[in-house]
Amino acid sequence: MTLKVYVDRISQPARAVLIFCKVNGIEFEEINVDLVKKEHKLPEFKAINPFGQVPSIADGDFKLFESHAILSYLACSSPGVADHWYPSDLQKRAKINSVLDWHHSNLRRGGVGFVIQTILGPALGIPTSPEGAAETEQVLISSLSKIESVWLNENGNFLLGNKEPSIADISLVCEITEFEVLHENDRIRVLAPFKKVLKWIEDTRIATSPHFEEVHKAILVSKASLHKLPVDENYETASSIKAMRDMDIAAE
């Protein structure tokens, strides 16, 4: 039976699962669950995921949710997936699991909170506060600092000193690319100091191209909508994060 992947491409973890599937040639049916229209709250979707969140998958009768669990399951169950994504060596795999566990209580907590406090909250009518923005920014900056000082503190272009990306790389990078929607001054303030992070994002994009760019069109459309800009779905020209990395290269 065809693997069904339930996503909305404005979701960071949903983008990570889609990129992984596409890069590895996994056959699947993409089923859009429109979060804005609250389709994730419909009974038929809650039969797939009782928590009403994307991404979720149905592999025959087997249903699974939570993006990290989905990525590790697909890496193990899909033929032809290269070992570097989720190594068979248990110690290397445990290291990747440690990054993924760290992700949710650090980078994701700070990143999602900061985006809501600064741009999405006001746009969607969600209550925000200067104190909330300051608190989530502190968590986010601390998380980005830890990525540079701990997870990228070895030779190699990817997390844990690896020469090729793992499921942790696309999961964390897709979290950060959500910052495309931030106000420019907020994005520059939180990201510009972290040169290694910007290079790693670009290395991950290149390693997963052209699927990375195709899946990220949705966030570029959201960015244009939030800031009332002309829509440009070309990642090369429309990505503010890539432009920051290009400026770093030019200054070297």
Side-chain angles (χ1 to χ4, degrees), residues 116-131:
I116 290 173
Q117 287 288 332
T118 57
I119 182 72
L120 283 188
L124 299 175
I126 299 172
T128 62
S129 69
E131 295 78 14

Side-chain angles (χ1 to χ4, degrees), residues 36 119 167:
V36 174
I119 182 72
I167 60 173

Side-chain angles (χ1 to χ4, degrees), residues 85-229:
W85 287 108
Y86 197 53
S88 55
D89 181 293
L90 292 182
Q91 291 187 356
K92 292 180 179 179
R93 180 176 291 189
K95 288 282 191 178
I96 290 172
N97 288 337
S98 71
V99 178
L100 295 173
D101 287 350
W102 174 89
H103 171 205
H104 267 159
S105 56
N106 293 275
L107 178 63
R108 183 156 181 79
R109 182 165 66 93
V112 170
F114 188 64
V115 169
I116 290 173
Q117 287 288 332
T118 57
I119 182 72
L120 283 188
L124 299 175
I126 299 172
T128 62
S129 69
E131 295 78 14
E135 179 182 352
T136 54
E137 181 173 344
Q138 184 177 15
V139 174
L140 173 57
I141 289 176
S142 174
S143 298
L144 292 169
S145 178
K146 289 296 190 295
I147 291 174
E148 288 213 338
S149 64
V150 178
W151 304 124
L152 289 172
N153 192 29
E154 297 182 51
N155 294 328
N157 292 336
F158 302 100
L159 298 173
L160 302 168
N162 292 326
K163 293 182 170 60
E164 296 177 286
S166 72
I167 60 173
D169 290 281
I170 55 171
S171 186
L172 272 65
V173 163
C174 284
E175 196 71 64
I176 298 171
T177 53
E178 188 74 8
F179 304 162
E180 291 283 355
V181 304
L182 291 174
H183 296 292
E184 183 176 9
N185 59 328
D186 289 333
R187 182 174 53 252
I188 290 172
R189 187 176 66 257
V190 299
L191 270 183
F194 300 103
K195 310 300 184 185
K196 288 166 67 175
V197 167
L198 289 169
K199 178 182 182 300
W200 161 65
I201 293 169
E202 183 65 2
D203 288 339
T204 302
R205 178 191 73 82
I206 292 169
T208 56
S209 183
H211 307 293
F212 185 99
E213 296 90 339
E214 188 268 325
V215 170
H216 275 85
K217 287 180 180 179
I219 199 65
L220 299 177
V221 171
S222 294
K223 171 185 173 180
S225 176
L226 285 166
H227 296 283
K228 297 179 171 52
L229 299 170

Side-chain angles (χ1 to χ4, degrees), residues 3 6 12-13 37 44 67 77 87 104 113 123 129 131 133 152 226:
L3 171 70
Y6 297 83
Q12 304 94 301
K37 294 180 180 177
E44 52 265 39
S67 63
S77 65
H104 267 159
S129 69
E131 295 78 14
L152 289 172
L226 285 166

Side-chain angles (χ1 to χ4, degrees), residues 23-52:
V23 167
N24 287 287
I26 298 171
E27 292 188 10
F28 69 99
E29 178 185 357
E30 179 179 347
I31 300 175
N32 185 62
V33 180
D34 194 313
L35 298 179
V36 174
K37 294 180 180 177
K38 301 188 184 303
E39 291 178 354
H40 57 300
K41 296 183 180 294
L42 295 175
E44 52 265 39
F45 179 67
K46 286 200 168 184
I48 304 297
N49 181 348
F51 295 108

Side-chain angles (χ1 to χ4, degrees), residues 62-75:
F62 177 66
K63 300 176 180 66
L64 187 65
F65 37 90
E66 294 298 329
S67 63
H68 295 166
I70 292 169
L71 288 166
S72 58
Y73 169 75
L74 293 176

